[in-house]
């Protein structure tokens, strides 16, 4: 689907996991069927008010993007584009590169497998890019998106980039590019969102850290991209329904119910932690531990398990367990 409308931004969108299986040789390969099944599980969920997730985020941080080959990534996205079309939501993918020429090439490739919007990370360079270089990187990404008939979403994530956040001035300029559908801000400091909206009240901003989804909404974010919502989709969608209606006390109750597991979204091993939580949720702990990333220690496994159980009990008490 084309993302010419911005209605889908006023929602939460799940960052789904890439499920893996062992091949006959013992090597890990993508389990396309299970990955699609889990994506459908999330997109079928409804909040108390009847709304659903507004998009499908695949091959991002939680989708093990940095560990996949280009061929694996494109095959994965092509399979998930079928799910996105079935539920009439845009397919969103992450992308990062060292140079502007490389990111333009990646965006063109993603468009061929059904991706509607690309979350573009800042360039992966050893030297910190200047504001001018940063703008040029995203401007060429926008040009590539225009030529491919899709949109982009600058992804301000200093922890993942390895250097300082994209400057406010640069973000404001990027938001003026016609191909930029929204900005994604991954920070627990929601004052950044307020600052941006003071400069341009019409900006569309998505929160990228689960622990501050409600506070980001208070600051003016229109929606968010969620990892925890992939595990507890009904609760996550309901929380966003409350945020959009300004029912902050109710929204905070849901946020607090999920807080023990939302905490994991802000940790360096967020993908490994939340993937294991998803495995527990689907009675597939072994699958949840099957990753191309870091192997969890026994203590980490038990910590995630305890956090999941606590969140599940609290979510269930609110009547929001799927």
């Amino acid at each position: 689907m084309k993302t010419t409308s911005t209605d889908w931004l006023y929602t939460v969108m799940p960052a789904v996991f890439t499920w893996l299986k062992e091949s006959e040789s013992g090597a890990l390969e993508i389990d396309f069927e299970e990955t699609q099944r889990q994506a459908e599980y999330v997109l079928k969920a409804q909040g108390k008010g009847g709304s659903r997730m507004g998009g499908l985020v695949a091959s991002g941080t939680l989708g093990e993007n940095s560990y996949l080959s280009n061929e694996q990534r494109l095959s994965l996205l092509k399979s998930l584009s079928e799910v996105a079309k079935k539920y009439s939501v845009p397919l969103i993918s992450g992308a990062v590169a060292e140079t502007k020429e490389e990111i333009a090439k990646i965006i063109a490739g993603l468009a061929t497998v059904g991706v509607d919007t690309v979350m573009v990370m800042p360039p992966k360079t050893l030297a910190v890019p200047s504001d001018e270089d940063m703008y040029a990187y995203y401007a060429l990404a926008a040009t590539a998106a225009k030529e491919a008939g899709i949109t982009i979403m600058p992804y301000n994530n200093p922890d993942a980039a390895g250097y300082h956040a994209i400057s406010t001035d640069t973000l404001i300029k990027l938001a003026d590019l016609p191909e930029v559908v929204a900005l994604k801000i991954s920070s627990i400091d929601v004052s950044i969102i307020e600052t941006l909206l003071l400069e341009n009240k019409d900006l569309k901003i998505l929160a990228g850290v689960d622990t501050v989804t409600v506070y980001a909404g208070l600051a003016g974010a229109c929606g968010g991209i969620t990892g925890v919502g992939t595990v507890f989709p009904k609760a996550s969608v309901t929380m966003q329904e409350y945020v959009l209606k300004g029912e902050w006390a109710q929204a905070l109750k849901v946020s607090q119910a999920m807080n023990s597991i939302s905490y994991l979204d802000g940790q360096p091993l967020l993908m490994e932690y939340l993937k294991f939580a998803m495995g527990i949720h689907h009675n597939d702990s072994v699958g949840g531990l099957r990753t191309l990333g870091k192997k969890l220690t026994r203590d980490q496994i038990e910590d995630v398990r305890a956090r999941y159980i606590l969140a599940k009990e609290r979510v269930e008490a609110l009547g929001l367990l799927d």
Side-chain angles (χ1 to χ4, degrees), residues 20 22 26-28 64 67 269 271-273 275-276 286-301:
L20 304 171
E22 289 188 8
L28 293 179
E64 310 202 32
Y67 300 106
L269 296 183
M271 183 273 286
E272 291 87 346
Y273 289 153
K275 187 173 187 178
F276 178 54
V286 173
L289 291 171
R290 201 176 284 136
T291 175
L292 299 171
K294 302 286 180 63
K295 303 300 180 185
L296 298 182
T297 66
R298 177 52 53 188
D299 286 346
Q300 289 169 332
I301 287 170

Side-chain angles (χ1 to χ4, degrees), residues 9 119 138 152-156 166-168 170-176 180-186 192-193 196-197 200 203-208 221-225:
L9 294 169
M119 292 188 306
Y138 279 101
I152 65 169
M153 184 188 304
Y155 183 3
N156 196 16
I166 303 173
S167 71
T168 300
T170 300
L171 286 170
I172 292 294
K173 291 177 182 177
L174 292 178
D176 282 338
V180 172
V181 69
L183 303 175
K184 181 184 177 185
I185 305 296
S186 285
I192 297 171
I193 297 172
L196 289 167
L197 289 170
N200 182 350
L203 287 181
K204 301 294 185 297
I205 299 176
L206 299 181
C222 59
I225 293 176

Side-chain angles (χ1 to χ4, degrees), residues 190 193 211-221 248 252 255-256:
V190 299
I193 297 172
T211 53
V212 297
T213 299
V214 176
Y215 304 103
L218 273 166
W248 305 112
L252 278 172
S255 178
Q256 289 164 351

Side-chain angles (χ1 to χ4, degrees), residues 18-21 28-32 35 68 72-73 76:
T18 301
W19 223 246
L20 304 171
K21 62 183 179 181
L28 293 179
E29 61 183 22
I30 298 173
D31 187 337
F32 293 100
T35 301
L68 300 176
Q72 288 174 316
R73 189 177 300 115
L76 171 68

Side-chain angles (χ1 to χ4, degrees), residues 13-311:
M13 286 153 271
V16 297
F17 307 98
T18 301
W19 223 246
L20 304 171
K21 62 183 179 181
E22 289 188 8
S23 65
E24 291 184 3
S25 66
L28 293 179
E29 61 183 22
I30 298 173
D31 187 337
F32 293 100
E33 184 177 341
E34 180 60 19
T35 301
Q36 287 180 316
R37 190 190 72 80
Q38 288 189 16
E40 287 211 36
Y41 157 77
V42 178
L43 293 179
K44 282 190 292 189
Q46 288 183 285
K48 275 194 170 181
S51 62
R52 299 178 188 265
M53 297 283 185
L56 180 62
V57 182
S59 192
T61 302
L62 294 186
E64 310 202 32
N65 188 306
S66 61
Y67 300 106
L68 300 176
S69 68
N70 187 58
E71 183 180 356
Q72 288 174 316
R73 189 177 300 115
L74 294 179
S75 295
L76 171 68
L77 290 164
K78 187 175 182 179
S79 72
L80 286 173
S81 70
E82 300 171 13
V83 179
K85 289 175 183 176
K86 180 177 178 180
Y87 289 88
S88 299
V89 297
L91 178 64
I92 304 155
S93 174
V96 63
E98 291 187 16
T99 67
K100 60 181 184 290
E101 291 81 11
E102 186 182 356
I103 197 66
K105 184 177 179 181
I106 290 172
I107 289 170
L110 293 175
T112 66
V113 292
V115 171
D116 298 287
T117 297
V118 183
M119 292 188 306
V120 182
M121 284 281 295
K124 271 284 188 183
T125 55
L126 293 177
V128 178
S130 65
D131 282 357
E132 292 75 17
D133 288 342
M134 185 73 78
Y135 183 82
Y137 173 85
Y138 279 101
L140 190 57
T143 298
K146 180 180 181 180
E147 292 173 352
I150 62 174
T151 57
I152 65 169
M153 184 188 304
Y155 183 3
N156 196 16
N157 189 334
D159 289 339
Y163 50 82
H164 62 70
I166 303 173
S167 71
T168 300
D169 287 345
T170 300
L171 286 170
I172 292 294
K173 291 177 182 177
L174 292 178
D176 282 338
L177 295 170
E179 295 74 34
V180 172
V181 69
L183 303 175
K184 181 184 177 185
I185 305 296
S186 285
S187 172
I188 60 173
D189 181 5
V190 299
S191 67
I192 297 171
I193 297 172
E194 292 177 321
T195 300
L196 289 167
L197 289 170
L198 282 173
E199 292 290 330
N200 182 350
K201 64 181 178 60
D202 296 322
L203 287 181
K204 301 294 185 297
I205 299 176
L206 299 181
V209 182
D210 278 308
T211 53
V212 297
T213 299
V214 176
Y215 304 103
L218 273 166
C222 59
I225 293 176
T226 174
V228 172
T230 306
V231 184
F232 298 119
K234 182 176 181 179
S236 186
V237 172
T238 299
M239 182 171 70
Q240 181 65 10
E241 289 174 341
Y242 289 139
V243 166
L244 292 175
K245 290 189 290 185
E247 297 179 0
W248 305 112
Q250 294 298 319
L252 278 172
K253 282 183 182 179
V254 183
S255 178
Q256 289 164 351
M258 295 189 290
N259 198 47
S260 65
I261 191 171
S262 295
Y263 165 83
L264 301 174
D265 189 51
Q267 304 307 304
L269 296 183
L270 72 160
M271 183 273 286
E272 291 87 346
Y273 289 153
L274 291 175
K275 187 173 187 178
F276 178 54
M278 187 66 158
I280 301 171
H281 194 65
H282 285 265
N283 298 312
D284 185 13
S285 294
V286 173
L289 291 171
R290 201 176 284 136
T291 175
L292 299 171
K294 302 286 180 63
K295 303 300 180 185
L296 298 182
T297 66
R298 177 52 53 188
D299 286 346
Q300 289 169 332
I301 287 170
E302 292 309 315
D303 180 58
V304 172
R305 191 186 303 277
R307 289 178 177 279
Y308 166 80
I309 291 171
L310 180 58

